[in-house]
Amino acid sequence: MTTFRSTLARIAAQEDLNFLLTNRIPRRLATRFIGWFSRIETPVVRDASIGIWRLFCDLDLSEAKATRFRSMHDCFIRELKDGARPVAADPALLTSPCDAIVGAHGRIEGTRVFQVKGFPYSLADLVPDAATVAQFRDGSYITLRLTAGMYHRFHAPHDCRVDSVTYIAGDTWNVNPIALKRIEALFCKNERAVVRTRLTATGHPIALVPVAAILVASLRFRFLDINLDLRTKGPRTLPCDATLAKGQEMGWFQHGSTIIVLAPPGFSLCAGIREGGRIRMGEPLMRLPVS
């Protein structure tokens, strides 16, 4: 198993081949097919699908609350055992909303952010309204990439109130580092949502932008009675009035992808945050402004 996985990793590391296999295919068709296929509950299909999935990624189910799954999709969106992700309680900290590999991060230069070094994009292209862009001008951002084998649910980074969610229809490019170096403003092209929140104690705005990708074009929120996927027309803003405690589940991807966290001026990234490093849901991410 280890040898086979190492061989697959070497093949995947060949950038031209990786980009061809994960992007130069009918992306939307492949995504909708996997969305259907992953929900098949026939035991033979379920077990074979999860087995093949294990060949391509480091899938650790030891922390999963369930020990058996109805389908591959059920395994994708698995919950964790209680206490598996301790949440930093310090009110001066925003915590990571998800398990992830840290991508581009830092200060927002006016309204310019980066997907990778040398590939900037504008907040105005990522977020659909000028008022939200203005809130985060000269603020801070961090890109969090979920890989296929990771825990796929995301959580409130602080005690907060969700004001609205805007769903934006788009493409399904892969969001791995190889694609990010080749497709300009990739996050602004893909299906995504803008989750606008305000911190309960201070009123600071914080936005989470879950970005979908190939095989992952579906988002679900606990506080919205709707599934957002490729069949949804957008942009579409859904008003909310949901109050969440720090670490409380917000929703999930149907597989894995990326969440961009936006904070206003005065917030700073926590020590130890580095590109390529791993972070778990509930660990310190940003520090609030000193009052």
Side-chain angles (χ1 to χ4, degrees):
M1 174 78 76
T2 302
T3 302
F4 183 70
R5 187 179 296 158
S6 299
T7 302
L8 289 176
R10 286 196 297 272
I11 294 172
Q14 298 178 31
E15 293 197 4
D16 289 341
L17 181 59
N18 182 295
F19 187 79
L20 177 67
L21 293 177
T22 60
N23 289 289
R24 298 306 187 191
I25 60 175
R27 294 184 297 274
R28 292 174 67 90
L29 181 62
T31 298
R32 293 188 67 171
F33 171 77
I34 291 297
W36 165 79
F37 182 80
S38 68
R39 288 175 170 81
I40 295 175
E41 297 185 4
T42 304
V44 172
V45 174
R46 175 201 62 204
D47 294 345
S49 301
I50 294 175
I52 292 171
W53 183 22
R54 282 180 177 274
L55 293 177
F56 286 87
C57 67
D58 187 16
L59 178 63
D60 181 6
L61 300 179
S62 64
E63 296 177 314
K65 183 177 291 187
T67 57
R68 295 286 295 173
F69 303 98
R70 298 188 308 273
S71 64
M72 182 168 64
H73 173 262
D74 192 33
C75 186
F76 282 162
I77 64 168
R78 64 193 178 274
E79 295 181 275
L80 298 184
K81 296 174 183 175
D82 295 340
R85 294 291 181 275
V87 177
D90 187 345
L93 296 175
L94 283 186
T95 55
S96 178
C98 60
D99 288 7
I101 297 174
V102 175
H105 59 278
R107 189 177 68 83
I108 300 170
E109 300 175 358
T111 62
R112 189 173 75 158
V113 292
F114 289 84
Q115 62 186 38
V116 292
K117 185 177 180 179
F119 266 53
Y121 63 94
S122 171
L123 280 186
D125 293 330
L126 181 73
V127 178
D129 68 282
T132 301
V133 171
Q135 288 179 322
F136 301 108
R137 178 182 290 272
D138 296 319
S140 296
Y141 78 101
I142 186 164
T143 308
L144 302 172
R145 182 170 67 90
L146 293 76
T147 62
M150 286 181 174
Y151 170 60
H152 302 126
R153 294 178 181 241
F154 48 92
H155 299 248
H158 208 282
D159 297 341
C160 64
R161 178 177 178 270
V162 181
D163 293 327
S164 66
V165 173
T166 297
Y167 170 82
I168 304 163
D171 208 327
T172 57
W173 290 97
N174 197 334
V175 294
N176 67 8
I178 293 170
L180 291 176
K181 291 190 294 184
R182 296 183 178 217
I183 306 297
E184 292 187 12
L186 190 156
F187 296 138
C188 306
K189 293 178 168 67
N190 272 16
E191 178 196 15
R192 60 198 182 278
V194 181
V195 185
R196 299 175 187 82
T197 76
R198 287 193 176 274
L199 302 192
T200 304
T202 65
H204 287 109
I206 299 293
L208 275 62
V209 185
V211 182
I214 188 166
L215 311 184
V216 196
S218 184
L219 300 166
R220 188 65 190 255
F221 294 93
R222 281 286 189 191
F223 44 81
L224 291 175
D225 188 23
I226 184 174
N227 195 53
L228 300 172
D229 58 29
L230 292 176
R231 293 167 293 187
T232 308
K233 303 297 182 182
R236 178 182 178 186
T237 296
L238 304 164
C240 301
D241 187 13
T243 301
L244 301 175
K246 191 178 193 178
Q248 188 173 350
E249 184 183 299
M250 299 183 83
W252 59 87
F253 289 106
Q254 304 293 42
H255 189 173
S257 191
T258 295
I259 295 178
I260 302 166
V261 180
L262 304 173
F267 282 69
S268 58
L269 295 170
C270 290
I273 297 292
R274 61 177 182 82
E275 189 165 349
R278 288 182 175 254
I279 192 168
R280 297 178 114 194
M281 190 284 288
E283 293 181 341
L285 186 72
M286 291 188 187
R287 187 167 291 277
L288 275 65
V290 177
S291 56

